[in-house]
Amino acid sequence: MAVDDFYCGYTNMPFDIETAGKLGFTFPQIYENPEIMALLSFESAKANGTIFCSLPFGSTVEAEAFGADVFHGDGMSGPRIGKYVYDEVDKLTGLPVIDFSSGPVAAVLKACSLLKKMGGNVALEISGPITILNSLIDMALLIKAWRKREELIENVFSRIMKELLIYTERAYASGVEILCYADPTGSLSILGPKYSEFLAERFIVPFLENAISLIPDGSVLHLCPKTSAILLKLGLAEWNHVPLEKSMTYHTAFFMLRDRVKIIGQNCIKNPNVTVDEIKELILGKF
């Protein structure tokens, strides 16, 4: 299998500093206070002309819930990792159960509920296992163990994906209409064919199959195109082409069709200016 990937390069946070400044919001409260999160997301969507309100404002929420050392930032960049909290792969088997009633994950879920009450269309991004682990341990240690101790790594992934499925269920219950699954550190070009196949077949596809049953009417699951690329390349999914009556922005198109499609992910959701003539629904299966 040739290593073929989706190039994105989009790293901006889903709010702008100017909007935060006008509202008088400061750091790190922007990452910690659900009321501030909700209002900033709502006002950022209005300022940028997007049809949905995005959360969270970084990719470390799940990792922090697993105990990562996270610096919430000063506005110059998003949250970032301080030091790795695990120095041995074996210790990852002791990953804590996520407490959804406290900490950053609870704040984000509450912010989603508040956004829904404010009349916003809520989009929530969750991080996949490689991105999470990259915030907990040196990836060189993880890859080395992956080569020699596959069963250990499989147990670690199983632990993480179980928690992500619970997070998914709670997100939809909190009013999320667009759940975005992203694992950019786990892209095909980074992991390579062998480990991409391991991850996709044993964990990503089962996660998505379970997540489908949780998607309420009027909601959709959006994959980062890097994940879509892996599934398509491995023959674990195919596109169902849904034509549009006229060209429109990607955001408008999939939001309009969210009652008709379940899983999508042909473009980066963080780029609101892409114009499309069709929406590609991702159909899981062996093809």
Side-chain angles (χ1 to χ4, degrees):
M1 178 181 66
V3 177
D4 190 13
D5 204 354
F6 178 91
Y7 175 75
C8 177
Y10 196 91
T11 58
N12 289 1
M13 294 182 288
F15 73 94
D16 55 81
I17 299 299
E18 183 178 354
T19 299
K22 288 180 179 178
L23 294 170
F25 294 156
T26 59
F27 297 83
Q29 288 78 16
I30 284 172
Y31 300 113
E32 300 170 352
N33 185 300
E35 287 78 16
I36 288 177
M37 286 184 205
L39 185 55
L40 180 53
S41 179
F42 189 82
E43 293 298 328
S44 291
K46 287 201 302 183
N48 295 309
T50 56
I51 62 176
F52 51 80
C53 307
S54 298
L55 285 172
F57 301 139
S59 59
T60 60
V61 172
E62 299 84 1
E64 191 169 359
F66 280 119
D69 176 29
V70 178
F71 172 64
H72 286 174
D74 54 10
M76 302 305 294
S77 63
R80 58 186 182 272
I81 300 302
K83 62 180 180 180
Y84 293 126
V85 293
Y86 291 95
D87 55 7
E88 297 177 15
V89 175
D90 293 82
K91 294 179 180 178
L92 291 171
T93 58
L95 283 174
V97 173
I98 292 180
D99 180 2
F100 291 97
S101 66
S102 65
V105 67
V108 168
L109 289 172
K110 183 176 179 181
C112 289
S113 296
L114 292 172
L115 272 171
K116 188 67 174 179
K117 292 177 181 177
M118 294 164 65
N121 303 312
V122 189
L124 175 69
E125 180 175 306
I126 63 172
S127 295
I130 304 299
T131 298
I132 292 171
L133 288 168
N134 189 48
S135 297
L136 295 168
I137 192 170
D138 187 335
M139 285 301 295
L141 295 177
L142 184 74
I143 296 299
K144 183 179 180 180
W146 203 340
R147 295 192 187 105
K148 299 179 179 180
R149 305 176 66 188
E150 187 173 285
E151 184 176 350
L152 170 66
I153 299 303
E154 186 169 357
N155 289 336
V156 173
F157 284 146
S158 294
R159 180 80 193 81
I160 292 174
M161 300 310 283
K162 179 181 179 180
E163 295 299 312
L164 290 183
L165 194 62
I166 297 172
Y167 192 20
T168 296
E169 184 173 20
R170 290 176 181 252
Y172 283 127
S174 298
V176 170
E177 293 170 277
I178 305 159
L179 187 76
C180 313
Y181 176 93
D183 200 4
T185 311
S187 67
L188 189 58
S189 59
I190 293 176
L191 291 183
K194 177 182 177 181
Y195 296 126
S196 293
E197 184 172 4
F198 175 95
L199 186 63
E201 288 189 340
R202 301 192 192 188
F203 299 102
I204 297 176
V205 169
F207 168 79
L208 295 177
E209 289 173 339
N210 284 311
I212 287 175
S213 66
L214 302 175
I215 302 174
D217 293 340
S219 297
V220 68
L221 179 59
H222 190 289
L223 295 186
C224 169
K226 289 181 176 292
T227 300
S228 299
I230 292 175
L231 300 181
L232 294 165
K233 198 71 178 178
L234 290 169
L236 298 174
E238 69 172 5
W239 290 129
N240 171 39
H241 299 266
V242 182
L244 303 170
E245 293 183 0
K246 61 179 180 179
S247 298
M248 61 185 72
T249 66
Y250 180 53
H251 283 187
T252 301
F254 77 71
F255 194 74
M256 180 180 69
L257 294 174
R258 69 191 188 283
D259 282 319
R260 293 178 50 190
V261 298
K262 288 295 184 182
I263 304 179
I264 54 176
Q266 70 202 70
N267 289 304
C268 179
I269 197 170
K270 294 180 180 178
N271 188 344
N273 300 316
V274 172
T275 300
V276 296
D277 298 311
E278 65 175 7
I279 285 296
K280 299 176 182 179
E281 181 182 17
L282 199 73
I283 306 297
L284 300 175
K286 273 283 190 179
F287 297 97

